[in-house]
Amino acid sequence: MTKAIIFDASTLISFSMNGLIEEVKALKSIFKDGHFIITNEVKSEVIDRPIKIKRFELEALKIKSMLDKGILEMPSALGVKDSEIASKTNEILEIANKTFSGGDRDIKILHLGECACLALAGILNKKGIQNVIAVDERTTRMLVEKPENLKKLFQKKFHIKIFSDPKNFKFFKGFNIIRSTELAYVAYKKNLVRLKGEMVLDAMLYALKFKGCAISNEEIDEIKKLA
Amino acid sequence: MQEKENVLRIMEETKKAIAKGDIFAIKNLSNQTINTASLTQDPDNITVAVIVYSLSKILGRQDYHKLPDWEKFKIVFTSAVDGTIAGLKENNEKIVSDYLEKIRAAIDKLSGKLKIYIQDVFRKARINKASRIYEHGISMGQTAKLLGITQFELASYAGQTGIPDAPLGQTSNTKSRIKLAMDLFS
């Protein structure tokens, strides 16, 4: 059965900046009938734009090499057209950015790349292709898994009354989310990590957290207990 | 510009703090710009947040003040602060944008070490403000776009803050998420 992991920019960035690209490649090698997919929007965020900036050129090249070698694939590998994703992305962007409001204005919470991941996941769901989204940034995950927490966060930070549209919450149900840390756990359990030893899992999880993966210390402790 | 009154107050207080050399007050004022910038996502509001924060850093570095071009730069940013205040009072958004642009242009015209230092301060200020906006619940992609930075810059900065540990950010059972990942590879 075909399956896919849809990578958001945030997750690829966490892996790339920690020198864990080889582990991603190793994961792909055991992902039977599976595809690691990036959308055009994410490609732009992790390859096309940073490759022109000296500070991030190498990171972009590392990710590009995965695309060149077929470790990462574009949605066409699953028969999904870019135009279909673009259209769905705009729809999701519109809905996501009208879900919360405060101070008489809608709060724009998501950008194209994140919405494109959700769009592709929705399209794959309809096609009956099992999929998860790998997203390290916090807002998309909160919107999908606990939008009420996002509302609470806005109220806490903005110090104003926040309104939300609960019917939009339903729109974001049905997506499965993991992070780089869960993928690192799989790599560790499957003995795919190049470094060996008891400390490796802890070191990887914290390294990913410090490069942007939104995971708490408490969650890291729980993951380590499961290992 | 949105939330004009708030921005005007911040700029006026920034002007007073600059005159007094009160760096702490300027930094505090820059923090006050974040709520407005996160909510409105208005480019001028965001620029004000970055500029006020940068000024707190630049004015706090006494060694910069001895470098060639410092006096020239000081005149530019002082007049830009005055001009922005005047523009806000007159409800002239174009003047506000123009003055904010003048600060950017003035930095480009600097030479030597001062140019490098100040460009670096502004770059770091953009990353710092992006991290604060992300902390407010705006996504990494949206925040990076607003501040004109890459997600690489934002991710590595935000990862070293307390953002990932905010209790509201914990949205699912750890065991279930691990199971989901393991099942995919079984």
Side-chain angles (χ1 to χ4, degrees):
Chain A
M1 186 184 164
T2 307
K3 56 192 173 183
I5 299 177
I6 301 162
F7 282 84
D8 176 48
S10 55
T11 307
L12 290 170
I13 286 168
S14 301
F15 279 124
S16 166
M17 293 189 86
N18 278 302
L20 292 171
I21 291 291
E22 289 307 315
E23 279 68 18
V24 177
K25 290 179 184 172
L27 280 169
K28 178 68 193 326
S29 72
I30 61 158
F31 197 41
K32 288 171 195 152
D33 297 322
H35 300 263
F36 285 180
I37 304 287
I38 59 168
T39 62
N40 253 329
E41 292 76 6
V42 168
K43 178 175 170 278
S44 165
E45 288 169 0
V46 295
I47 299 175
D48 302 340
R49 184 163 173 243
I51 212 163
K52 294 174 195 153
I53 303 169
K54 295 296 172 208
R55 194 183 296 265
F56 300 106
E57 191 180 358
L58 183 61
E59 305 302 333
L61 281 175
K62 286 186 212 167
I63 300 172
K64 185 176 179 294
S65 80
M66 286 204 288
L67 189 62
D68 293 342
K69 288 174 184 164
I71 307 294
L72 294 174
E73 297 172 277
M74 300 305 287
S76 56
L78 294 169
V80 181
K81 287 180 187 164
D82 287 342
S83 58
E84 195 182 350
I85 298 172
S87 159
K88 191 77 184 162
T89 297
N90 287 330
E91 186 193 342
I92 291 174
L93 193 64
E94 178 86 359
I95 294 169
N97 291 344
K98 285 190 183 303
T99 296
F100 300 97
S101 60
D104 289 331
R105 55 172 61 84
D106 295 326
I107 306 172
K108 289 180 192 164
I109 55 173
L110 298 189
H111 188 47
L112 284 174
E114 295 124 0
C115 291
C117 291
L118 295 170
L120 179 58
I123 293 166
L124 296 183
N125 282 343
K126 277 191 181 162
K127 282 176 169 265
I129 298 175
Q130 185 194 4
N131 69 87
V132 301
I133 306 171
V135 56
D136 278 13
E137 78 90 28
R138 187 177 66 168
T139 307
T140 311
R141 176 169 52 76
M142 289 179 78
L143 179 64
V144 168
E145 295 182 339
K146 243 183 192 172
E148 61 275 18
N149 274 18
L150 204 46
K151 183 179 176 180
K152 284 180 196 164
L153 179 69
F154 289 141
Q155 289 196 154
K156 188 179 167 193
K157 292 291 177 186
F158 291 127
H159 310 292
I160 56 170
K161 174 88 179 156
I162 298 293
F163 299 91
S164 58
D165 189 343
K167 77 172 186 297
N168 286 5
F169 289 0
K170 288 178 196 159
F171 187 85
F172 295 100
K173 293 290 169 207
F175 297 108
N176 293 312
I177 289 189
I178 57 172
R179 299 168 287 200
S180 60
T181 42
E182 283 79 26
L183 288 170
Y185 176 89
V186 175
Y188 176 79
K189 289 298 279 184
K190 304 273 183 188
N191 202 24
L192 300 173
V193 182
R194 286 164 296 167
L195 281 170
K196 306 293 175 197
E198 283 178 8
M199 293 165 70
V200 170
L201 180 62
D202 179 75
M204 274 198 304
L205 296 176
Y206 275 102
L208 291 164
K209 174 188 167 100
F210 288 125
K211 290 293 181 196
C213 179
I215 183 169
S216 67
N217 292 346
E218 195 184 324
E219 288 173 293
I220 288 180
D221 285 344
E222 285 175 38
I223 291 177
K224 280 158 52 186
K225 281 179 194 157
L226 295 171
Chain B
M1 179 182 275
Q2 298 182 42
E3 303 279 350
K4 194 196 80 174
E5 294 76 17
N6 187 42
V7 177
L8 176 59
R9 177 189 62 80
I10 285 167
M11 292 305 282
E12 284 182 328
E13 289 183 25
T14 299
K15 185 182 172 183
K16 283 180 203 163
I18 290 171
K20 285 184 202 165
D22 189 345
I23 310 303
F24 182 76
I26 302 173
K27 197 171 176 189
N28 188 32
L29 285 162
S30 97
N31 289 336
Q32 292 175 32
T33 59
I34 281 303
N35 268 5
T36 306
S38 304
L39 191 61
T40 65
Q41 302 183 15
D42 175 89
D44 286 342
N45 276 320
I46 290 167
T47 306
V48 166
V50 170
I51 286 175
V52 175
Y53 182 81
S54 300
L55 287 179
S56 76
K57 292 288 176 191
I58 293 164
L59 293 169
R61 290 291 300 265
Q62 295 295 322
D63 48 333
Y64 291 0
H65 305 184
K66 294 170 195 152
L67 292 169
D69 281 356
W70 170 254
E71 287 304 321
K72 209 161 69 180
F73 179 69
K74 194 177 166 188
I75 290 166
V76 172
F77 77 66
T78 308
S79 68
V81 168
D82 288 342
T84 305
I85 291 168
L88 286 165
K89 282 182 176 169
E90 289 167 24
N91 236 347
N92 188 337
E93 291 190 14
K94 178 79 172 61
I95 289 182
V96 175
S97 297
D98 287 352
Y99 272 106
L100 295 176
E101 187 51 44
K102 270 185 188 170
I103 294 185
R104 267 189 289 225
I107 295 166
D108 285 340
K109 281 182 193 157
L110 292 173
S111 57
K113 282 182 183 173
L114 188 62
K115 180 176 183 171
I116 295 164
Y117 290 159
I118 290 179
Q119 277 178 335
D120 194 47
V121 167
F122 271 80
R123 188 182 69 81
K124 286 176 179 162
R126 284 202 302 274
I127 297 168
N128 176 286
K129 292 300 142 195
S131 175
R132 296 295 310 280
I133 291 175
Y134 175 56
E135 185 184 5
H136 275 63
I138 310 304
S139 80
M140 214 172 249
Q142 177 66 2
T143 305
K145 187 204 85 172
L146 288 171
L147 272 297
I149 62 171
T150 66
Q151 287 193 52
F152 287 89
E153 288 164 301
L154 176 53
S156 51
Y157 188 97
Q160 291 168 59
T161 66
I163 298 170
D165 287 297
L168 288 171
Q170 293 177 40
T171 52
S172 175
N173 177 282
T174 305
K175 206 170 175 179
S176 313
R177 208 190 298 280
I178 284 289
K179 186 175 182 310
L180 176 65
M182 287 298 283
D183 287 350
L184 268 178
F185 287 87
S186 62

